[in-house]
Amino acid sequence: MPEFEKVIVETDLLILGGGMAACGAAVEAAYWAKQQGLRVTLVDKAAVDRSGAVAMGLSAINQYVGLKDGANTVQDYVNYVRNDLMGVTREDLVANIARHVDSTVHLFEKWGLPIWKDAEGKYVHEGRWQLMINGESYKVIVAEAAKNALLGSGVGQIFERVFIVGPLMDGDRCAGAVGFSVRENKLYFFIAKATLDAMGGAVHVFKPRSSGEGMGRAWYPPWNSGSSAYFTMKAGAEMTCQEVRFIPVRFKDAYGPVGAWFLLFKSRATNAMGGNYMVERQAELENWLPYGKVKPVPANLRNYLGMLDVMEGKGPIYMRTEEAIQKIAEAYKDDPKEYKKKMKDLESEAWEDFLDMTVSQAILWAGTNLQPEERSSEIAAAEPYFIGSHSGASGAWVSGPEDLQNQQTKGEYFWGYCNMSTVKGLFCAGDASGASSHKFSSGSCTEGRIAAKEAIRFIVANNQLPHVDPKVLEAHAAEILAPLDFYEAHKNATTDPEVNPNYIKPRMFMFRLQKVMDEYAAGVTSQFTTNKSQLERALELLAYLKEDSLRLAASNTHELMRCWENIHRMWQAEAHVRTVLFREETRWPGYYFRSDKPKMDEEHWHVFANCRYDPGSGNWQMSTRPIYQLFA
Ligand code: SFD
Ligand code: AMP
């Protein structure tokens, strides 16, 4: 095996990831670090310009509260999120983001992001909280601001194409992170006074619907592989809402988002017989009160009503794009010239929605001769994702802001620094932090800003570099590179490098993980349904998989990254299965259904289900935490 250079980087604040939360963190940290004479280091596995969920761009900013125009209040947003998550949310965290998010959106506009405006110069809303954008270059624009802030001020440095494997610890304090370059033979040890985990969510833990020629295609980015959750779990941080996966309904096979169709174009979705499940299955909502009666109907319940149709054989479900477009254009039908122009504009908007955000969906439309103004498109529930920033909630259990606590919540929800996990010096934002859903791109960037400012405050109060024993660094180096060694030692046992009696390649390992999750932990194949016996079997199979993770083999550094990505996914899977097993009820039908506990149990389970991996003993602890309502 080639020699790996060991690079030690000492810094004050270490930002892990280069996505929306990390870029927000970089901008804010640069400002405060300069005042304090501190250094900031950002590390991304990819290139910040096009990394993470916003790589392809987006067509909307999904969180804008509009506080200045008096359109909504922070309380309105908290109510919306609480209802959408069937009552399970940290209101202090949601409110903290909601009260600051508008300023982030105004920064985006200042940095050059085109936000749609109407004739009066007002933002064009997709829905109550969502703004339409020309967002193909959204990520490039935000990345430029982050780079200017860090590099322009002289306080920062950026490492791209460095994959972070896990945490470095100094006793109970996070001391930084270890990783490796995916392009050069270099191992990195980042030693930092505070670390901000913003490495996104997890995709491909479950078997995707896309297979064969479409393999790899998913709604959320396949390169977000659970690194955030792995990092906090391995540091010993308490995790929350690990059962709250997100299953989005998406245009079938290319995963185009549905928000613009439902909200901007006001489209209906109907089954093969033309029936509208949102109308025909209203009565089912009575079984999920009080959340069954809120407006809008929670995302999981919308999913569930559609799934009931599919399970009864009434599929496919169609997004009625042609009907929606015709309905809008109808107002212009008395003037043929205006009508033609309107139809052209609507057609452009329909295509732009996907060209801005999910190019493959536009390609699929083109490839199948589909004109949205003429013909409906199939939609379907996607496989589950782990994402704290959309309508899921999984992530680390973090401290809230001090000023939003009351006597009841202070001890439970606040421990010194906002967005710090239960591990000293380890902060989280975006998909990495849990129980504060519906932050999306703008809220994640805002949370990154909040967390970075607090991390700098932590550094000022704890201004000494943690100590890490050189022997610990050596042990990390050996562990990280083990798959390369293992491959070298055994590669000659077979002629086909994919098949070997001694090792397993990361691709096969991923398939095995996905099969377990799909079949036993309520994936697509099992109609999102599971029970105690299936979950226990999943844990048994995951334990074998964990044993075999020591036999992962990599033929180069790129494959080494694939090995570690799948180890990260495996840990996310285990936390999920344990927590679905722990919560003895069905609270989010449409996300998952526990057939042995088919009802919601407000009396016993109106609580957060938390878990913690103890790095000392290797045991998992499950616990509940109270849900306090801060806003009426
Ligand atoms: O409509 C490592 N999202 C949408 N948000 C909106 O505001 N509007 C929309 O229109 C949205 N839509 C949408 C969205 C996402 C996607 C994929 C599509 C459509 C197709 C959601 C937001 O994008 C999302 O909420 C935020 O981006 C979350 O921010 P953050 O920072 O938590 O995650 P990230 O941006 O993916 O960044 C992660 C970073 O971590 C890096 N990384 N770096 C080093 N080492 C490792 N081991 C790492 N693992 C990951 C990544 O490279 C990246 O830089 S709609 O469909 O909802
Ligand atoms: P999506 O494209 O599904 O990610 O949705 C984008 C935004 O629109 C998110 O804020 C969703 O919560 C919201 N949304 C999507 N569909 C609906 C719907 N049918 N009713 C209300 N809100 C929706």
Side-chain angles (χ1 to χ4, degrees):
M1 196 183 72
E3 270 302 296
F4 272 69
E5 185 189 338
K6 296 191 177 82
V7 184
I8 296 182
V9 179
E10 293 182 350
T11 189
D12 294 307
L13 174 61
L14 176 63
I15 301 173
L16 301 178
M20 291 309 285
C23 286
V27 169
E28 194 75 24
Y31 178 84
W32 299 106
K34 196 171 171 88
Q35 289 187 5
Q36 301 291 339
L38 299 172
R39 296 154 303 166
V40 181
T41 300
L42 182 146
V43 188
D44 192 349
K45 77 192 266 195
V48 182
D49 270 354
R50 287 280 178 192
S51 69
V54 187
M56 252 193 277
L58 295 178
S59 65
I61 287 171
N62 281 348
Q63 189 186 3
Y64 182 73
V65 179
L67 289 175
K68 219 165 81 190
D69 343 317
N72 297 295
T73 61
V74 167
Q75 179 172 346
D76 291 333
Y77 202 75
V78 171
N79 288 340
Y80 164 60
V81 178
R82 182 201 306 121
N83 286 336
D84 199 63
L85 269 294
M86 307 291 278
V88 178
T89 201
R90 275 277 301 276
E91 301 193 5
D92 57 332
L93 297 174
V94 175
N96 199 25
I97 297 169
R99 66 181 167 174
H100 294 300
V101 72
D102 292 356
S103 73
T104 302
V105 174
H106 300 149
L107 278 177
F108 292 158
E109 197 172 22
K110 193 174 124 198
W111 295 335
L113 179 71
I115 305 182
W116 291 15
K117 298 263 176 65
D118 64 14
E120 290 165 21
K122 291 200 183 120
Y123 292 146
V124 173
H125 277 255
E126 177 181 278
R128 181 171 177 187
W129 313 106
Q130 301 86 354
L131 303 179
M132 295 304 296
I133 57 174
N134 291 111
E136 183 277 336
S137 299
Y138 190 2
K139 186 65 205 300
V140 183
I141 290 166
V142 174
E144 184 183 40
K147 285 184 192 169
N148 284 344
L150 283 187
L151 307 178
S153 64
V155 303
Q157 54 185 332
I158 297 177
F159 291 84
E160 293 185 327
R161 304 196 188 283
V162 172
F163 181 85
I164 294 297
V165 172
L168 275 175
M169 299 299 291
D170 177 7
D172 63 354
R173 179 177 174 184
C174 182
V178 282
F180 61 91
S181 165
V182 296
R183 292 269 167 103
E184 303 168 297
N185 291 339
K186 284 184 180 174
L187 273 168
Y188 283 93
F189 303 104
F190 297 97
I191 301 176
K193 293 173 188 163
T195 301
L196 171 48
D197 178 357
M199 293 183 281
V203 177
H204 284 157
V205 174
F206 279 83
K207 187 157 128 193
R209 277 190 186 273
S210 52
S211 57
E213 62 170 358
M215 174 69 199
R217 182 73 204 124
W219 164 68
Y220 217 53
W223 45 86
N224 277 6
S225 58
S227 300
S228 291
Y230 177 84
F231 196 93
T232 37
M233 282 190 253
K234 288 291 272 195
E238 187 167 330
M239 305 296 287
T240 191
C241 299
Q242 290 300 304
E243 76 282 34
V244 195
R245 64 197 28 214
F246 177 42
I247 295 182
V249 162
R250 290 293 176 253
F251 280 71
K252 193 164 171 297
D253 296 333
Y255 297 85
V258 297
W261 283 99
F262 280 133
L263 302 181
L264 185 75
F265 295 110
K266 308 210 167 12
S267 177
R268 297 189 309 150
T270 58
N271 62 32
M273 290 84 195
N276 181 345
Y277 54 83
M278 293 302 292
V279 176
E280 293 178 352
R281 294 196 182 269
Q282 274 282 324
E284 173 63 28
L285 297 175
E286 300 285 335
N287 295 327
W288 308 97
L289 297 177
Y291 312 107
K293 277 289 162 214
V294 300
K295 290 275 171 278
V297 175
N300 65 290
L301 289 178
R302 297 197 300 266
N303 285 2
Y304 188 52
L305 300 190
M307 283 175 190
L308 289 173
D309 268 12
V310 173
M311 288 182 225
E312 265 183 28
K314 293 184 174 167
I317 304 292
Y318 293 106
M319 181 71 83
R320 301 293 303 273
T321 56
E322 80 301 350
E323 180 190 84
I325 287 182
Q326 285 303 334
K327 225 170 166 179
I328 299 172
E330 225 162 65
Y332 301 80
K333 75 173 185 306
D334 292 341
D335 181 341
K337 223 168 118 193
E338 276 301 303
Y339 178 78
K340 208 169 156 199
K341 185 175 172 300
K342 190 65 193 173
M343 281 300 285
K344 199 84 215 143
D345 287 351
L346 289 166
E347 192 192 322
S348 307
E349 283 171 12
W351 284 89
E352 188 192 325
D353 181 41
F354 291 142
L355 288 170
D356 268 3
M357 164 165 75
T358 310
V359 181
S360 49
Q361 185 68 56
I363 293 171
L364 189 67
W365 267 359
T368 52
N369 298 332
L370 196 134
Q371 322 265 12
E373 68 280 18
E374 288 175 5
R375 196 173 159 196
S376 308
S377 286
E378 270 183 68
I379 56 172
E383 63 280 0
Y385 304 112
F386 296 94
I387 160 171
S389 68
H390 202 295
S391 316
S394 56
W397 181 246
V398 299
S399 172
E402 187 168 16
D403 68 316
L404 289 180
Q405 310 301 330
N406 59 28
Q407 284 305 99
Q408 202 181 28
T409 62
K410 193 136 188 171
E412 282 288 343
Y413 294 172
F414 173 75
W415 49 95
Y417 295 91
C418 190
N419 280 85
M420 190 167 85
S421 70
T422 56
V423 169
K424 221 169 131 186
L426 175 54
F427 293 74
C428 304
D431 286 331
S433 75
S436 54
S437 320
H438 288 272
K439 36 199 171 189
F440 306 101
S441 61
S442 46
S444 296
C445 191
T446 306
E447 199 182 26
R449 293 175 60 199
I450 294 167
K453 186 176 175 188
E454 285 291 271
I456 297 284
R457 200 165 68 81
F458 173 89
I459 293 169
V460 171
N462 298 272
N463 207 348
Q464 66 286 347
L465 204 63
H467 173 73
V468 187
D469 188 335
K471 280 204 207 103
V472 171
L473 299 187
E474 281 307 321
H476 277 296
E479 188 192 12
I480 291 173
L481 300 179
L484 289 172
D485 289 335
F486 210 68
Y487 178 77
E488 282 305 311
H490 298 288
K491 68 178 181 190
N492 293 328
T494 48
T495 49
D496 180 351
E498 288 298 310
V499 185
N500 194 292
N502 304 292
Y503 64 64
I504 181 167
K505 282 289 191 91
R507 195 175 152 85
M508 299 302 164
F509 185 90
M510 185 179 77
F511 290 151
R512 206 167 124 191
L513 169 69
Q514 290 178 347
K515 185 169 159 63
V516 173
M517 295 305 285
D518 185 52
E519 292 179 351
Y520 297 98
V524 170
T525 303
S526 49
Q527 307 252 46
F528 309 108
T529 301
T530 186
N531 60 34
K532 184 168 183 279
S533 306
Q534 285 182 313
L535 292 162
E536 283 170 352
R537 178 71 177 140
L539 282 179
E540 206 180 325
L541 293 171
L542 286 175
Y544 293 136
L545 189 68
K546 201 179 243 174
E547 276 176 22
D548 285 349
S549 68
L550 299 174
R551 297 181 165 269
L552 273 163
S555 58
N556 54 46
T557 48
H558 185 75
E559 213 169 35
L560 185 64
M561 176 178 74
R562 294 283 183 247
C563 290
W564 282 104
E565 284 176 345
N566 285 308
I567 291 175
H568 291 179
R569 289 187 176 108
M570 179 182 72
W571 279 72
Q572 175 63 82
E574 185 174 353
H576 181 58
V577 173
R578 286 183 185 280
T579 318
V580 174
L581 188 59
F582 180 61
R583 180 182 280 282
E584 296 191 332
E585 64 163 355
T586 296
R587 180 163 289 260
W588 299 274
Y591 287 173
Y592 72 86
F593 201 85
R594 264 200 62 170
S595 55
D596 53 344
K597 302 278 173 192
K599 292 195 173 150
M600 193 166 73
D601 178 357
E602 278 284 83
E603 191 190 336
H604 299 104
W605 287 103
H606 187 84
V607 285
F608 295 106
N610 285 8
C611 65
R612 180 179 172 268
Y613 171 77
D614 179 356
S617 67
N619 294 330
W620 290 82
Q621 295 142 5
M622 308 303 298
S623 58
T624 59
R625 296 271 180 194
I627 295 175
Y628 294 122
Q629 195 167 328
L630 285 165
F631 292 81

